[in-house]
Amino acid sequence: MTISRSLPTRDQLTSATTISASSSINDVDWYAVRNDFPLLKQQVYGKSLVYLDNAATSQKPNVVIETIEQFYRQDNANVHRGVYALSERATERYEASRNKVQSFLHATHREEIIFVRGTTEAINLVAQCYARPRLTHDSEILISVMEHHSNIVPWQIACQQTGAKLTIIPISDSGEINLDDYKQRLTNRTQLVAITHMSNALGTILPVKEMIAMAHAQRIPVLLDGAQAVPHLEVNVQALDCDFYAFSGHKTYGPTGIGVLYGKQAILDAMPPYQGGGDMISQVSFENTQYNSLPYKFEAGTPNIAGAIGLGAALDYIDSLGLDNIAHHEQPLLEYATQELLTVKGLRIIGTAKHKASIISFVLDAAHPHDISSILDREGIAIRAGHHCAMPLMERFRVPATARVSLAFYNTKEDIDRLIKAMKEVLIIFG
C-alpha cells in the first residue's frame, strides 16, 4: 500500500519559495523563507520577535508541523507490528525517514541509521555499548576542552565504571585545536576519540577529517558530536570516515525528542543492544533471547514515530533550500553580526577561530550575560546566556558565563541591527 497520497506535495514543501537543492544562491528569497516559520511572526512585549537562540533549538517550518499533524490525523498506528493498512502506512513513512537520513548523511547502508531521542542518547549508547566493554584501567577516552556536557559526562560514567581515564585535548585562546597537541595525546591507551564537529559555545568548526585520519592511523575509532554542525554544514560520513556520528532533530528544524546515531555497520553489528524490550528482539524464551538485526537491535520499544517522520520532512526542507545556499547566506550574517557587536564598548568575543559558523559568544564589561539577556528579552530579542552546557570551556576562558547569539538561515541583517541597538541600550542602563 503506497502513502504518496498523504505526503506533502513539493508545492506545500516550498510554500513561500520556489527553490531546489540545485538552486543558485540568488534564487532563494530568504525573506520569503521566513514566512514558512509561523513562530517568527509573533510579538514579544509588543515587539516583533528576533530569535537568536538557534544553537539551543531551531524553529520549525510549516511543513514539519503539518507533517506531524497529518500523521496523527491520518496514519497513526504502531510500526513493524501490524498487518493492517494504518500500521503499514506508518511503518512505510517511518522507514522512509530512515532512508532520508541515510541520504542526508551519505551513509553506505540504511541499517547504519539508528533513531534515538537525540545526540545525548546517541553518545550514551556508544559509551555503554561500544566503549564500556573495551575499557580497562589502562584505557583512555580522548575528548576536547570545548565539548558539550553530553560529550563529557557519558565518558566520565564509562571511565568510573571501568577505571579508565578521560584525557583532554587543549585549545588555544582563539578556540582552536592544535593538531600537534592532539597527535601527542593519541597513544596505544586511547580507545576512542569523541569530539564535537562544531562547538555549541564558540562556533569553532574542528578539522575533523584530519583528526579522524590521524586517529585511524593508530586504529583508534572516532565519534563526532554533530548536533551543531548538521544544520549548517554538509556532512558526508563516508568522506569523513568517522565511526560514529550523532545529531538531534530539534536543532535541525525538526521535532524535539528525535535524533540519530550513525555507526559503521560492522561496528554496530558487534555491539550489544542498549536497551531490552519490544522490537529489538527476533525470538525470546525464558532461557535466551535472540536480538533483532540492525537497525532495530538498538530501537527497543515503540519509537518516536511522528518525530522520525517530522525529521524526514525537516531534512527534505533543508534539501529544498540547499546546504550550500544556507552556508553562503549564514556566513555573511555571522561576519556582519561579529563586526557590529565589536562596535559595542567593552564587548569581547569568546571564540575567534578562523573556521567557525553561526555562533558568537561574548562578554560585556558593564553587565552580566543574564542581565544582557533579560534586557534584550524586553526588546523582543531572544538570546542565550549562561555556561551553554560547557562549564569546563567557561573555566578555560575564565568567565562564569557568556551571552550567545546563534544564527539560522531565517535570520536577517535587520535582526542584527535590532540586536546592536538593544545592546547599546544595555550600555545606557549599566553605564
Side-chain angles (χ1 to χ4, degrees):
M1 190 166 191
T2 63
I3 59 169
S4 59
R5 291 193 303 274
S6 63
L7 290 175
T9 66
R10 181 169 177 78
D11 289 342
Q12 291 170 323
L13 180 64
T14 57
S15 55
T17 51
T18 304
I19 48 184
S20 70
S22 60
S23 296
S24 68
I25 297 164
N26 293 331
D27 289 335
V28 182
D29 183 343
W30 295 105
Y31 287 93
V33 165
R34 288 175 60 89
N35 292 327
D36 290 338
F37 293 82
L39 184 141
L40 299 179
K41 298 176 183 179
Q42 70 178 269
Q43 291 196 334
V44 177
Y45 300 115
K47 299 177 181 178
S48 299
L49 172 66
V50 173
Y51 186 76
L52 297 172
D53 193 23
N54 295 285
T57 198
S58 59
Q59 297 307 327
K60 321 306 173 192
N62 283 315
V63 66
V64 170
I65 298 167
E66 292 162 3
T67 295
I68 295 170
E69 179 186 16
Q70 180 188 59
F71 167 76
Y72 281 124
R73 288 186 180 278
Q74 298 180 14
D75 296 329
N76 181 47
N78 217 327
V79 293
H80 304 143
R81 294 174 172 86
V83 288
Y84 55 91
L86 279 179
S87 180
E88 290 175 354
R89 292 207 305 264
T91 298
E92 188 172 351
R93 296 189 73 176
Y94 179 76
E95 293 300 334
S97 288
R98 195 187 309 275
N99 295 341
K100 291 175 184 179
V101 176
Q102 177 197 353
S103 175
F104 193 79
L105 294 181
H106 303 277
T108 306
H109 307 289
R110 69 185 308 276
E111 291 79 11
E112 297 174 320
I113 305 302
I114 312 297
F115 284 127
V116 290
R117 288 183 300 158
T119 306
T120 299
E121 184 174 50
I123 294 172
N124 275 275
L125 190 162
V126 176
Q128 290 301 310
C129 299
Y130 179 81
R132 183 181 176 185
R134 290 164 172 79
L135 296 177
T136 69
H137 68 279
D138 293 323
S139 301
E140 294 181 358
I141 299 287
L142 187 58
I143 66 173
S144 82
V145 171
M146 69 180 84
E147 301 307 321
H148 188 281
H149 294 166
S150 293
N151 202 30
I152 299 174
V153 179
W155 309 115
Q156 287 179 332
I157 292 171
C159 288
Q160 290 164 0
Q161 291 166 334
T162 60
K165 178 184 176 184
L166 199 60
T167 302
I168 312 302
I169 310 161
I171 61 172
S172 68
D173 290 342
S174 62
E176 297 171 294
I177 284 177
N178 182 294
L179 290 179
D180 289 334
D181 288 341
Y182 168 66
K183 186 175 182 180
Q184 289 176 10
R185 286 163 175 77
L186 293 170
T187 72
N188 57 10
R189 295 185 298 276
T190 309
Q191 294 298 308
L192 181 75
V193 174
I195 50 174
T196 185
H197 192 168
M198 173 181 156
S199 167
N200 76 300
L202 305 179
T204 302
I205 300 171
L206 277 67
V208 292
K209 189 167 185 178
E210 294 88 342
M211 295 175 77
I212 292 166
M214 292 166 71
H216 283 180
Q218 300 189 43
R219 298 185 178 181
I220 301 168
V222 179
L223 175 144
L224 294 182
D225 171 355
Q228 296 298 330
V230 165
H232 306 287
L233 311 171
E234 182 170 1
V235 175
N236 185 323
V237 293
Q238 291 187 70
L240 291 172
D241 198 29
C242 57
D243 301 278
F244 300 101
Y245 199 97
F247 75 94
S248 298
H250 73 97
K251 297 180 191 294
T252 317
Y253 310 100
T256 57
I258 190 70
V260 170
L261 172 66
Y262 157 82
K264 289 181 177 177
Q265 186 172 24
I267 297 176
L268 293 175
D269 267 329
M271 288 165 51
Y274 184 46
Q275 297 174 319
D279 223 31
M280 53 75 66
I281 58 91
S282 61
Q283 188 168 345
V284 175
S285 71
F286 286 119
E287 291 73 34
N288 186 48
T289 294
Q290 295 177 13
Y291 302 132
N292 207 341
S293 59
L294 292 176
Y296 312 111
K297 179 173 72 170
F298 295 104
E299 295 181 4
T302 298
N304 185 355
I305 303 166
I309 293 169
L311 174 60
L315 298 185
D316 283 343
Y317 185 84
I318 291 172
D319 279 340
S320 75
L321 293 173
L323 274 165
D324 283 346
N325 289 337
I326 289 171
H328 280 94
H329 175 66
E330 290 179 347
Q331 195 62 32
L333 271 182
L334 175 66
E335 293 169 2
Y336 180 69
T338 301
Q339 171 188 310
E340 293 300 305
L341 280 167
L342 289 174
T343 67
V344 178
K345 183 180 179 181
L347 186 144
R348 176 166 60 95
I349 291 176
I350 306 295
T352 56
K354 182 178 179 181
H355 299 290
K356 63 179 293 186
S358 88
I359 291 170
I360 308 170
S361 283
F362 62 89
V363 291
L364 188 66
D365 290 342
H368 189 280
H370 289 158
D371 293 325
I372 296 170
S373 182
S374 295
I375 293 170
L376 265 54
D377 178 46
R378 301 299 298 190
E379 297 298 320
I381 302 167
I383 70 166
R384 181 69 47 161
H387 54 66
H388 316 300
C389 293
M391 294 176 79
L393 182 65
M394 298 296 111
E395 185 177 348
R396 160 64 180 83
F397 285 100
R398 299 177 182 176
V399 294
T402 69
R404 184 185 70 185
V405 169
S406 51
L407 304 165
F409 56 71
Y410 44 61
N411 289 124
T412 65
K413 288 184 71 174
E414 288 77 9
D415 290 342
I416 305 305
D417 292 340
R418 288 265 308 275
L419 169 69
I420 301 307
K421 181 179 178 182
M423 284 298 301
K424 292 180 178 177
E425 291 294 322
V426 173
L427 285 182
I428 293 171
I429 293 170
F430 285 94

